[in-house]
Each structure stands twice: as structure tokens, then as C-alpha cells.
Amino acid sequence: MKYLTYQQTKVPALGLGTWKAKKGEVYGAVREALHIGYTHVDCAPAYMNETEVGAALKEMTGSGQMRREDLWVTSKLWNNAHLPGDVQPALKKTLTDLQLDSLDLYLIHWPVAFKPEVALPKSGDDYLSLQEAPIIDTWQAMEECVAAGLVRHIGVCNFNIAKLEDLLAKAAIAPMMNQIELHPYLQQQKMLEFCRQRQVLVTAYSPLGSPDRPKGMKKKNEPTLLGHEAIKAIAKKHGVSPAQVLIAWGLQRQTAVIPKSINQVRLRENLEAAELRLEENDLRHIAKLERGYRYVDGAFWEMPGSGYSTKELWDD
Ligand SMILES: NC(=O)c1ccc[n+]([C@@H]2O[C@H](COP(=O)([O-])OP(=O)(O)OC[C@H]3O[C@@H](n4cnc5c(N)ncnc54)[C@H](OP(=O)(O)O)[C@@H]3O)[C@@H](O)[C@H]2O)c1
């Protein structure tokens, strides 16, 4: 298993994504993943499956098949708990659901805030602005969670460089991680350079292009990553699958990569991608695929009166 290093901490570079993994299938998937050698699970209360994930974690650690300290568990603060008084209760609910005493990493899921009673907004009225719920206030409440021993590390998701820079300037505990969409169509070169300079780790989400997203989140004629001819040709040359090429590419760029699968064969296939070494020539071909394309583009937070827009979210 490859690791990313942050100060004295080692983060397993390959993790299991759990978004869209349904009740009834996620328990078996997490158990199987840990059984075959995954040591990193990416969770969130917004995925509505932390109870099942927690049952699988408990089964593996409680039965002695795995030690808690050999497992890296990440979860995220949902957008309706950004007000400082709501942060610790939200984290405690996640800990209860995951059956853990503490998390390895807790992330702000989006730099977007909802009113506390709103799970998913229906209108602009359901949002809080970043003036009403400043990121730094949320962050200080996250820092208190570290002090309380409830999480070892804290970080963010979906932050652009300007937001990260602002947070780094104000934070007492620097964010360990920015979890962002990253794959050959969205290579995030500037972000990677910025994070390298400022010692923030990067996790690549939707590394396979998130083909199982709900229809409502998909655009017409989306480009497919797994079916791209260049990816398929590189896969054929190495005798591996396109998914393995995409995962190996992310790992070779020193990012954590968290492909989601609930399928036994694909779980193993994805894990084995860590053994694949792409050649310079492969990397040059993949570099040419950049097209600034986001599958998870945040347009769902754009509604009249919300105050949030894709323009404001991303630097590009
Ligand atoms: N922080 C954020 O805002 C954010 C946003 C998006 C995602 N994430 C995290 O990142 C994780 C991964 O992203 P994602 O779920 O959007 O998409 P993804 O990992 O890019 O793609 C998942 C899809 O690929 C399929 N798949 C998995 N392995 C495969 C293989 N070897 N060959 C062919 N198909 C394969 C899966 O099907 P099967 O399950 O049937 O195998 C599923 O349909 C999420 O689950 C979540 O944990 C975070």
C-alpha cells in the first residue's frame, strides 16, 4: 500500500469511496474491501449510509480481523451544520453512526452553507451566505473537535485556491487535505502546485468520472473517461483495465484516490491498480486529455437567491 505523508502521519493513498453505495450493498462492499486490503474509507453523512459503513467497520475491528489504528476513516461536515454550535453535534452523530471514538480526518464537505433545518435546499431561502456562516467560524469549531480528541486531522473539500489561501492565513490548525474532483479531464495542475507549496494533501474524487451519478446531475453528451480511446489503449498495452489506468495515474501524481465500488471484482481490480506503473509516454498522452471538465460541477447549488454560483466556487 502506498502512503501520502503529512508531518508524522501516513495516509493510505488508495481509499474506498462510498457515495451512492446503497443500503443493503454498502455493508458487504466495505467489509469485502477491508478484507482484501483496503485501509482507507471515505464517508459522509450526506451519503446516507454511515450506519451501514459503521457496521462493517465494527465487524472488522471488533472481530480482531483489523486493528482500528490500521484503518483510515474520513467523514465530512454537511452544509447544514456550518454554524459553530452545530459542528460538534454533527461530528458526534457521524461517530455514533460509524461506531468510532474518533475520525482520522474530518472535512468541510462544501464551502456552501444551508440553514440548519435544511438537508437539501429547494430554494434560495434555504441557504446561509458565507457572511452569515463564515468559513473561519466553522473551521474554529472543527479545530475544537481536534482539541476534544474527536478527530485527528481536519481539512476541506471543493475549495478553490483563493478559499484555501484565506483559510491557511487564518487557521490555527492548517487544513491537512483538500478533497477535489480530479481525473484526466480535470487535472487540477495549478491546485496541485499550490497544495504542494503549502503542504496541503490532495484527494482525487470521482477518479473514474462518477458514471453512476443520478441522472439529474448529468449533462447531455457527457464525455466518458473509462471509454476514452487513449485510456483504453494504455490499458491494453499494460494488460490492465481503463479504471486501473485512471487510478494509477492519480496515485502516480501523489494524490490520494478514492474510487467507489460495491462490486467484489472491481474492488480488487481497483486495489491492484496501485501496482501499475505508468510510463512517461503514457503520462504524456494522458496530459493531453485535460479539458477542464467537471462531472460534479456544483451547479446544483446555483438557484435564485442562493448567493452561490459555479463561478464563485471554482477558479476556472
Ligand atoms: N467531497 C466531495 O464533494 C465528493 C464528491 C464526489 C465524490 N466524493 C467521494 O469520491 C468517491 C468516488 O467518486 P464517485 O463515487 O463520484 O465516482 P467514481 O469513483 O469515479 O466512479 C464510481 C463508479 O465507477 C464504477 N466502477 C468502480 N470501479 C470500476 C472499475 N474497475 N471498472 C469500471 N467501473 C468501475 C462504480 O460502479 P460499481 O460500484 O458497480 O463498481 C460506479 O458506478 C465517492 O464515492 C465519494 O466517497 C466526494
Side-chain angles (χ1 to χ4, degrees):
M1 174 59 71
K2 293 181 177 161
Y3 293 92
L4 306 179
T5 307
Y6 185 82
Q7 296 162 3
Q8 308 303 321
T9 304
K10 283 163 95 182
V11 184
L14 183 70
L16 174 68
T18 60
W19 178 33
K20 307 171 266 70
K22 296 186 195 71
K23 286 183 184 166
E25 55 188 28
V26 66
Y27 168 79
V30 173
R31 214 182 44 171
E32 172 68 11
L34 299 184
H35 185 66
I36 64 174
Y38 284 75
T39 53
H40 172 168
V41 186
D42 183 75
C43 317
Y47 304 161
M48 315 249 280
N49 57 14
E50 285 197 322
T51 316
E52 289 74 20
V53 174
L57 299 181
K58 186 71 183 178
E59 152 103 24
M60 293 300 289
T61 54
S63 62
Q65 293 181 69
M66 195 165 192
R67 296 185 316 167
R68 170 64 186 96
E69 55 269 37
D70 295 332
L71 187 59
W72 183 275
V73 185
T74 298
S75 187
K76 314 189 186 87
L77 178 77
W78 188 229
N79 305 351
N80 63 358
H82 276 213
L83 293 176
D86 295 335
V87 172
Q88 216 171 102
L91 170 57
K92 285 185 171 159
K93 166 83 169 80
T94 272
L95 288 173
T96 302
D97 290 348
L98 291 174
Q99 303 194 47
L100 297 174
D101 298 328
S102 67
L103 289 178
D104 298 285
L105 178 60
Y106 198 42
L107 305 172
I108 296 181
H109 205 148
W110 284 89
V112 171
F114 308 157
K115 290 180 177 164
E117 66 281 8
V118 174
L120 264 185
K122 293 192 178 63
S123 80
D125 282 347
D126 289 337
Y127 290 79
L128 293 174
S129 69
L130 291 181
Q131 286 70 45
E132 291 167 308
I135 295 286
I136 187 60
D137 293 359
T138 308
W139 188 256
Q140 283 165 354
M142 305 260 293
E143 291 174 339
E144 283 167 22
C145 296
V146 178
L150 299 172
V151 295
R152 289 169 63 208
H153 302 279
I154 49 179
V156 296
C157 308
N158 298 304
F159 269 43
N160 62 24
I161 289 177
K163 286 201 178 80
L164 255 187
E165 207 155 26
D166 189 52
L167 181 58
L168 282 161
K170 295 172 180 163
I173 301 177
M176 174 199 223
M177 180 74 74
N178 191 16
Q179 184 181 116
I180 50 174
E181 181 174 339
L182 199 160
H183 44 66
Y185 293 158
L186 185 70
Q187 303 194 6
Q188 300 271 18
Q189 202 55 42
K190 267 201 231 160
M191 176 64 81
L192 288 192
E193 273 154 30
F194 176 82
C195 287
R196 212 163 284 143
Q197 277 168 17
R198 304 300 296 271
Q199 279 139 35
V200 178
L201 299 181
V202 173
T203 296
Y205 78 60
S206 303
L208 311 178
S210 198
D212 58 344
R213 275 168 308 135
K215 272 201 186 119
M217 283 181 71
K218 289 188 175 177
K219 291 173 216 104
K220 271 191 194 155
N221 306 321
E222 268 189 0
T224 131
L225 261 178
L226 288 163
H228 193 284
E229 288 306 326
I231 301 293
K232 288 201 306 194
I234 295 169
K236 194 170 172 203
K237 186 179 85 177
H238 289 278
V240 299
S241 72
Q244 288 177 311
V245 170
L246 295 169
I247 295 165
W249 176 80
L251 295 175
Q252 245 167 276
R253 294 172 91 224
Q254 308 298 322
T255 64
V257 185
I258 49 170
K260 171 262 175 188
S261 182
I262 47 93
N263 174 280
Q264 281 202 9
V265 174
R266 291 189 286 275
L267 280 170
R268 188 176 286 279
E269 182 182 316
N270 296 349
L271 185 67
E272 287 171 357
E275 308 308 319
L276 172 63
R277 188 84 203 151
L278 297 173
E279 295 157 2
E280 281 304 319
N281 201 28
D282 303 329
L283 300 177
R284 266 196 300 278
H285 277 104
I286 297 177
K288 289 188 208 145
L289 304 187
E290 168 66 49
R291 51 168 99 176
Y293 189 83
R294 289 179 190 278
Y295 290 100
V296 182
D297 66 2
F300 32 82
W301 310 135
E302 253 176 7
M303 43 186 98
S306 82
Y308 295 94
S309 65
T310 53
K311 190 172 179 332
E312 185 268 340
L313 271 174
W314 316 122
D315 293 316
D316 42 42

